[in-house]
Amino acid sequence: MKILPKTAGFSGLQGLKVLILVTGLALAMSTWYVFFHQYHDKSHVTWFPSAASCDVHAHPCSVALGSGRQLTFHIDVNGPIEALASLPLKVDIQGIPAHQVNVDLVDRYRDSRIERFVLDAITPGRFRGYGQVDKEVQTATPWRARVILETPEGDMGSWFDFEVVKKS
């Protein structure tokens, strides 16, 4: 009778135990990832709705933040807002100090953040900067500016809808 050498691989119960261990570790890592990102999210913002009828590039739009506080936002352009054009952004706040003001420009069709622009503090309560819709559009497309104030009381903000047209 000829004796054959044993194969060098997992077989039977030993292989099953390894697969169970690997599966358990993958489940544990997935669970940790979900809980970590759910409970350690630094982007918690208290949102205050803006008036739907306000046209932010025609005139400044204001939002009450409660307790006498106010946020005013304006996209200072003459004519329609065009894709790929530099947009002068203005934010004035009253009744609450802010460490920083950010503006996220979001394509409302896709609801994905395109880019975050950090505005410069000009004087206490007055912030200025430039943003850009850096994505070419084919037709008039609805966009949203999310204005986020970083304050000692936590992050708060509002959103303002506008339309972007194809660059002429």
mmCIF file of all heavy atoms in Angstrom, residues 82-87 131-137 164-165 167:
data_model
loop_
_atom_site.group_PDB
_atom_site.id
_atom_site.type_symbol
_atom_site.label_atom_id
_atom_site.label_comp_id
_atom_site.label_asym_id
_atom_site.label_seq_id
_atom_site.Cartn_x
_atom_site.Cartn_y
_atom_site.Cartn_z
ATOM 1 N N GLU A 82 -24.089 81.993 -13.395
ATOM 2 C CA GLU A 82 -23.584 81.086 -14.419
ATOM 3 C C GLU A 82 -22.646 80.052 -13.818
ATOM 4 O O GLU A 82 -21.894 80.346 -12.878
ATOM 5 C CB GLU A 82 -22.837 81.869 -15.501
ATOM 6 C CG GLU A 82 -23.710 82.812 -16.296
ATOM 7 C CD GLU A 82 -22.927 83.540 -17.372
ATOM 8 O OE1 GLU A 82 -21.696 83.708 -17.240
ATOM 9 O OE2 GLU A 82 -23.561 83.949 -18.363
ATOM 10 N N ALA A 83 -22.677 78.856 -14.416
ATOM 11 C CA ALA A 83 -21.741 77.805 -14.025
ATOM 12 C C ALA A 83 -20.321 78.271 -14.335
ATOM 13 O O ALA A 83 -20.094 79.017 -15.290
ATOM 14 C CB ALA A 83 -22.057 76.526 -14.784
ATOM 15 N N LEU A 84 -19.388 77.862 -13.512
ATOM 16 C CA LEU A 84 -17.957 78.130 -13.660
ATOM 17 C C LEU A 84 -17.565 79.595 -13.422
ATOM 18 O O LEU A 84 -16.410 79.942 -13.556
ATOM 19 C CB LEU A 84 -17.451 77.671 -15.036
ATOM 20 C CG LEU A 84 -17.741 76.206 -15.376
ATOM 21 C CD1 LEU A 84 -17.339 75.913 -16.809
ATOM 22 C CD2 LEU A 84 -17.051 75.274 -14.411
ATOM 23 N N ALA A 85 -18.511 80.444 -13.066
ATOM 24 C CA ALA A 85 -18.203 81.846 -12.766
ATOM 25 C C ALA A 85 -17.924 82.015 -11.274
ATOM 26 O O ALA A 85 -18.487 81.302 -10.443
ATOM 27 C CB ALA A 85 -19.365 82.742 -13.184
ATOM 28 N N SER A 86 -17.064 82.952 -10.933
ATOM 29 C CA SER A 86 -16.766 83.251 -9.543
ATOM 30 C C SER A 86 -17.966 83.981 -8.923
ATOM 31 O O SER A 86 -18.491 84.927 -9.499
ATOM 32 C CB SER A 86 -15.518 84.129 -9.469
ATOM 33 O OG SER A 86 -15.198 84.405 -8.141
ATOM 34 N N LEU A 87 -18.401 83.520 -7.762
ATOM 35 C CA LEU A 87 -19.580 84.079 -7.105
ATOM 36 C C LEU A 87 -19.177 84.798 -5.822
ATOM 37 O O LEU A 87 -18.699 84.166 -4.877
ATOM 38 C CB LEU A 87 -20.574 82.961 -6.751
ATOM 39 C CG LEU A 87 -21.085 82.107 -7.894
ATOM 40 C CD1 LEU A 87 -21.941 80.968 -7.361
ATOM 41 C CD2 LEU A 87 -21.863 82.963 -8.877
ATOM 42 N N GLY A 131 -17.206 81.814 -4.116
ATOM 43 C CA GLY A 131 -17.506 80.418 -4.376
ATOM 44 C C GLY A 131 -17.636 80.213 -5.868
ATOM 45 O O GLY A 131 -17.561 81.174 -6.640
ATOM 46 N N GLN A 132 -17.832 78.970 -6.256
ATOM 47 C CA GLN A 132 -17.978 78.676 -7.678
ATOM 48 C C GLN A 132 -18.715 77.370 -7.858
ATOM 49 O O GLN A 132 -18.417 76.385 -7.178
ATOM 50 C CB GLN A 132 -16.606 78.573 -8.339
ATOM 51 C CG GLN A 132 -16.670 78.306 -9.828
ATOM 52 C CD GLN A 132 -15.291 78.137 -10.431
ATOM 53 O OE1 GLN A 132 -14.384 77.627 -9.795
ATOM 54 N NE2 GLN A 132 -15.134 78.570 -11.667
ATOM 55 N N VAL A 133 -19.688 77.379 -8.758
ATOM 56 C CA VAL A 133 -20.315 76.139 -9.189
ATOM 57 C C VAL A 133 -19.383 75.589 -10.251
ATOM 58 O O VAL A 133 -19.381 76.055 -11.385
ATOM 59 C CB VAL A 133 -21.738 76.388 -9.744
ATOM 60 C CG1 VAL A 133 -22.319 75.120 -10.312
ATOM 61 C CG2 VAL A 133 -22.632 76.949 -8.657
ATOM 62 N N ASP A 134 -18.526 74.647 -9.861
ATOM 63 C CA ASP A 134 -17.469 74.189 -10.758
ATOM 64 C C ASP A 134 -17.904 73.030 -11.645
ATOM 65 O O ASP A 134 -17.094 72.234 -12.075
ATOM 66 C CB ASP A 134 -16.227 73.820 -9.967
ATOM 67 C CG ASP A 134 -16.466 72.700 -8.982
ATOM 68 O OD1 ASP A 134 -17.629 72.278 -8.828
ATOM 69 O OD2 ASP A 134 -15.507 72.244 -8.354
ATOM 70 N N LYS A 135 -19.174 72.959 -11.898
ATOM 71 C CA LYS A 135 -19.713 71.879 -12.707
ATOM 72 C C LYS A 135 -20.515 72.497 -13.843
ATOM 73 O O LYS A 135 -21.361 73.355 -13.622
ATOM 74 C CB LYS A 135 -20.604 71.016 -11.830
ATOM 75 C CG LYS A 135 -21.225 69.861 -12.505
ATOM 76 C CD LYS A 135 -21.986 69.089 -11.459
ATOM 77 C CE LYS A 135 -22.941 68.146 -12.112
ATOM 78 N NZ LYS A 135 -23.772 67.486 -11.159
ATOM 79 N N GLU A 136 -20.226 72.091 -15.053
ATOM 80 C CA GLU A 136 -20.951 72.597 -16.214
ATOM 81 C C GLU A 136 -22.383 72.074 -16.193
ATOM 82 O O GLU A 136 -22.613 70.911 -15.871
ATOM 83 C CB GLU A 136 -20.252 72.141 -17.503
ATOM 84 C CG GLU A 136 -20.865 72.683 -18.758
ATOM 85 C CD GLU A 136 -20.779 74.206 -18.870
ATOM 86 O OE1 GLU A 136 -19.711 74.763 -18.590
ATOM 87 O OE2 GLU A 136 -21.791 74.815 -19.226
ATOM 88 N N VAL A 137 -23.324 72.934 -16.483
ATOM 89 C CA VAL A 137 -24.731 72.540 -16.545
ATOM 90 C C VAL A 137 -25.215 72.704 -17.976
ATOM 91 O O VAL A 137 -24.714 73.532 -18.729
ATOM 92 C CB VAL A 137 -25.606 73.363 -15.567
ATOM 93 C CG1 VAL A 137 -25.179 73.119 -14.135
ATOM 94 C CG2 VAL A 137 -25.568 74.829 -15.892
ATOM 95 N N VAL A 164 -28.779 77.987 -11.526
ATOM 96 C CA VAL A 164 -27.533 78.179 -12.263
ATOM 97 C C VAL A 164 -27.814 77.897 -13.735
ATOM 98 O O VAL A 164 -28.477 76.915 -14.065
ATOM 99 C CB VAL A 164 -26.422 77.232 -11.750
ATOM 100 C CG1 VAL A 164 -25.173 77.323 -12.598
ATOM 101 C CG2 VAL A 164 -26.104 77.529 -10.296
ATOM 102 N N VAL A 165 -27.313 78.781 -14.590
ATOM 103 C CA VAL A 165 -27.508 78.603 -16.025
ATOM 104 C C VAL A 165 -26.169 78.282 -16.698
ATOM 105 O O VAL A 165 -25.105 78.545 -16.140
ATOM 106 C CB VAL A 165 -28.153 79.855 -16.666
ATOM 107 C CG1 VAL A 165 -29.532 80.104 -16.086
ATOM 108 C CG2 VAL A 165 -27.268 81.073 -16.515
ATOM 109 N N LYS A 167 -22.994 78.625 -18.859
ATOM 110 C CA LYS A 167 -22.153 79.791 -19.109
ATOM 111 C C LYS A 167 -22.246 80.168 -20.579
ATOM 112 O O LYS A 167 -22.101 79.337 -21.463
ATOM 113 C CB LYS A 167 -20.703 79.502 -18.710
ATOM 114 C CG LYS A 167 -19.828 80.718 -18.758
ATOM 115 C CD LYS A 167 -18.499 80.469 -18.104
ATOM 116 C CE LYS A 167 -17.713 81.751 -18.119
ATOM 117 N NZ LYS A 167 -16.758 81.818 -17.078
#
